Amino acid sequence: MAENDNSNPTPPPPPPHEQTDPSTVTTLPDPELKPELPVTDQNEQQHQQNPPLQHTESETDSKDNTSQDVVAVEPEPEPEPVTEQRNLQQQKKIPQNLISFKEESNRVSDLSDSERTSLQQFKKLLTETLTDQQVSIYGVPLLSDERTDTILLKFLRAREFKVKESLTMINNTLQWRKDFNIDSLLDEDLGDDLDKVVFMHGFSREGHSVCYNVYGEFQNKELYDKTFGSEERRNRFLRWRIQFLEKSIRKLDFNPGGVNTVFQVNDLKNSPGPAKKELRVATKQALQLLQDNYPEFVAKQVFINVPWWYLAFYTMINPFLTQRTKSKFVFAGPNKSPDTLFKYISPEQVPVQYGGLSVDFCDCNPDFSINDATTEIPVKPTTKQTVEIAIYEKCIIVWELRVVGWEVSYSAEFKPDAKDAYAVIIQKATKMSPTDEPVVSNSFKVSELGKLFLTVDNPTLKKKRLLYRFKIKPYTE
């Protein structure tokens, strides 16, 4: 989606000859990301409220982890063998736009005089033209609710505050919603076949709910045919897509100052690509509906695991995109995808399959939830990183830890404070490979005061990222 984006996942835009307006492949301006505190500083604040435990880090500079406001991330070459020529071509196609836009406020008091005048005119004209004064849109009663201004501002921004054009757009949307029978669509049972293709999970650092779009699922021929194999199936897919969108939208906060946009992550790993005609047709149809009827609903579009062919396609349409449009995109190759996500989403909010620690609230992780903060520490090449946690009371300490991609050794031990006491090896130094379990979980019953040491030894020439979190439980005999 583009300037008129939506909270539903947006597929990769169709090839240029299939697209009516190149500006519709992007989204709403990026919320201005303020430089964050180093994660170690954030963690210190958290532990100040939990005096029994303290920790320090060694052999690293925590400031190296400060997030930066970058909207175009250089993808790395594909992990599988590729020719040198393709690598060179891919590097030339990497988007390098570093300009971002601040997401506009939906408070009337923050508008300029001309924008405020346009809003007043828009509301007046809409009141005069609406035959049904009780009509609702996106679950918000139009013209009879304080959330109305937020809705109207979306249409105004989609048409650059041109009142008559905005009026035409919203009237067309209201008619389409009536014809499409949106209200009954919400209760329609369209199955759960696409639950792994599109799902909501967690929140961004700016408070936006995050929508993941996993296009590699369509490599499953049975699922692909079931979704796009005929016109009837494509229409059903479209209804499912709009239903998912409407349900997502109704969870947003349209009150002044509320978060009313969605953060989208598009996983292009094993994506079928533009050669699949059925997918391209369905995509074009969906994009047209979304750009016309769901303006300004996306805060950011992040594309991860980006293949070379997508960058080649992006280069083709790049000259036709406005600077504002291009600023909405973030691209990352397979090796940089986790770090890119962490710029915008805290690791505890990121699913395990994308480098984070969240396991989607399942029973397999009873000790930690999506609300338990994670500490991030960069581990420099050929260095050893040790996390030291001082314990001042009897307790049971539980923790989990991961290094994305591993290729490191990990060990854990407890050293009592008492003189001549023996250290307890909890986890002997073990080489962790990329095929091992992504997250290591452990616990230790502390019967005497001392320190817990978690050590990661990085022998590679690559910078790694250590993620960990811990909590204490009451001591039991």
Side-chain angles (χ1 to χ4, degrees):
M1 288 308 300
E3 317 284 351
N4 308 331
D5 213 329
N6 56 81
S7 66
N8 199 42
T10 303
H17 66 278
E18 293 282 359
Q19 189 172 314
T20 56
D21 180 3
S23 69
T24 63
V25 299
T26 187
T27 63
L28 195 137
D30 174 33
E32 186 177 36
L33 298 179
K34 299 179 180 178
E36 301 162 6
L37 289 174
V39 292
T40 51
D41 291 344
Q42 295 173 340
N43 201 60
E44 287 172 6
Q45 293 176 0
Q46 175 186 352
H47 297 326
Q48 285 174 1
Q49 301 174 0
N50 189 10
L53 300 176
Q54 293 183 353
H55 77 281
T56 59
E57 297 117 19
S58 63
E59 298 186 34
T60 190
D61 179 7
S62 62
K63 292 183 180 179
D64 195 28
N65 193 42
T66 304
S67 175
Q68 298 178 5
D69 188 9
V70 179
V71 298
V73 180
E74 176 178 346
E76 295 188 359
E78 301 174 58
E80 56 270 9
V82 292
T83 64
E84 181 178 353
Q85 181 180 5
R86 178 180 291 183
N87 273 327
L88 292 174
Q89 290 175 342
Q90 180 171 341
Q91 295 301 319
K92 293 179 180 178
K93 294 179 173 68
I94 295 170
Q96 292 295 336
N97 174 30
L98 298 180
I99 299 176
S100 64
F101 291 89
K102 183 177 180 180
E103 187 171 7
E104 293 94 336
S105 170
N106 59 351
R107 297 180 186 274
V108 175
S109 59
D110 293 335
L111 299 177
S112 67
D113 291 341
S114 60
E115 291 172 342
R116 194 177 298 111
T117 298
S118 295
L119 177 60
Q120 293 170 349
Q121 293 176 350
F122 187 21
K123 192 180 299 186
K124 181 176 182 296
L125 287 175
L126 186 60
T127 303
E128 294 172 352
T129 58
L130 276 182
T131 55
D132 182 4
Q133 295 292 318
Q134 304 301 317
V135 67
S136 294
I137 185 170
Y138 315 135
V140 176
L142 208 53
L143 301 178
S144 59
D145 192 290
E146 65 175 357
R147 297 170 292 174
T148 294
D149 288 343
T150 300
I151 301 296
L152 298 186
L153 282 171
K154 289 182 178 293
F155 285 89
L156 281 169
R157 288 183 172 124
R159 291 296 180 262
E160 298 179 341
F161 281 86
K162 297 176 181 177
V163 176
K164 291 185 178 179
E165 292 183 16
S166 301
L167 181 64
T168 299
M169 183 182 185
I170 196 171
N171 281 332
N172 288 341
T173 293
L174 292 172
Q175 184 61 49
W176 171 80
R177 293 176 66 84
K178 183 178 180 180
D179 296 341
F180 208 81
N181 204 355
I182 293 295
D183 291 335
S184 65
L185 175 63
L186 289 171
D187 299 322
E188 192 172 338
D189 183 6
L190 297 174
D192 57 3
D193 296 333
L194 299 175
D195 284 355
K196 292 184 179 180
V197 178
V198 181
F199 57 91
M200 307 295 293
H201 188 102
F203 297 88
S204 73
R205 295 183 187 271
E206 300 292 326
H208 301 91
S209 55
V210 182
C211 179
Y212 290 84
N213 313 289
V214 189
Y215 298 105
E217 293 291 329
F218 286 129
Q219 287 288 4
N220 182 322
K221 188 176 185 303
E222 181 180 352
L223 178 62
Y224 185 90
D225 291 341
K226 189 174 182 179
T227 307
F228 305 114
S230 66
E231 184 176 358
E232 179 182 354
R233 292 175 181 177
R234 289 193 294 273
N235 287 336
R236 182 180 177 84
F237 164 75
L238 188 63
R239 291 187 65 78
W240 171 86
R241 183 179 174 79
I242 298 299
Q243 182 192 68
F244 183 92
L245 163 64
E246 282 287 331
K247 289 181 177 180
S248 300
I249 281 179
R250 289 169 193 245
K251 296 177 182 179
L252 299 177
D253 183 4
F254 291 106
N255 288 295
V259 177
N260 59 85
T261 53
V262 171
F263 189 103
Q264 292 207 45
V265 178
N266 305 285
D267 180 10
L268 300 184
K269 183 178 181 180
N270 297 324
S271 173
K276 293 286 189 178
K277 179 181 178 182
E278 298 85 0
L279 176 59
R280 193 171 70 244
V281 170
T283 296
K284 177 187 176 183
Q285 189 176 10
L287 284 172
Q288 191 65 55
L289 281 180
L290 300 180
Q291 73 175 7
D292 290 344
N293 302 290
Y294 296 91
E296 304 287 345
F297 271 104
V298 174
K300 177 70 73 177
Q301 289 272 21
V302 176
F303 295 84
I304 61 174
N305 297 314
V306 178
W308 69 269
W309 60 260
Y310 194 88
L311 294 176
F313 161 68
Y314 180 85
T315 300
M316 291 173 59
I317 68 171
N318 185 65
F320 302 98
L321 304 179
T322 66
Q323 193 62 51
R324 174 185 170 96
T325 295
K326 288 183 286 188
S327 74
K328 316 307 190 303
F329 290 159
V330 177
F331 298 92
N335 293 336
K336 290 190 176 180
S337 291
D339 282 349
T340 300
L341 288 180
F342 296 156
K343 290 179 184 292
Y344 304 98
I345 311 170
S346 299
E348 66 271 11
Q349 302 277 343
V350 175
V352 168
Q353 63 266 37
Y354 293 119
L357 295 175
S358 179
V359 290
D360 199 17
F361 313 105
C362 73
D363 294 333
C364 58
N365 190 20
D367 292 320
F368 295 95
S369 74
I370 202 169
N371 297 316
D372 293 312
T374 300
T375 298
E376 310 170 52
I377 306 175
V379 184
K380 297 178 181 179
T382 65
T383 62
K384 184 180 293 186
Q385 173 68 53
T386 297
V387 174
E388 177 182 325
I389 304 173
I391 305 175
Y392 300 114
E393 65 178 3
K394 289 184 177 182
C395 66
I396 296 176
I397 182 170
V398 295
W399 69 91
E400 61 180 12
L401 173 150
R402 82 174 295 179
V403 174
V404 178
W406 290 117
E407 295 181 316
V408 301
S409 291
Y410 159 68
S411 63
E413 66 176 345
F414 177 77
K415 294 182 179 180
D417 289 339
K419 255 187 179 184
D420 301 325
Y422 291 100
V424 179
I425 304 299
I426 303 171
Q427 169 69 56
K428 66 179 182 180
T430 304
K431 291 183 178 179
M432 308 294 294
S433 72
T435 57
D436 287 327
E437 287 293 324
V439 180
V440 171
S441 301
N442 213 332
S443 65
F444 183 71
K445 182 181 287 189
V446 180
S447 58
E448 54 184 325
L449 306 186
K451 295 181 177 66
L452 176 67
F453 294 89
L454 308 176
T455 302
V456 168
D457 186 359
N458 177 19
T460 73
L461 298 178
K462 302 176 183 176
K463 179 180 175 181
K464 299 287 185 175
R465 184 187 294 265
L466 166 63
L467 308 174
Y468 76 94
R469 56 184 172 178
F470 67 89
K471 63 172 53 176
I472 59 171
K473 293 183 174 181
Y475 182 88
T476 56
E477 297 291 344

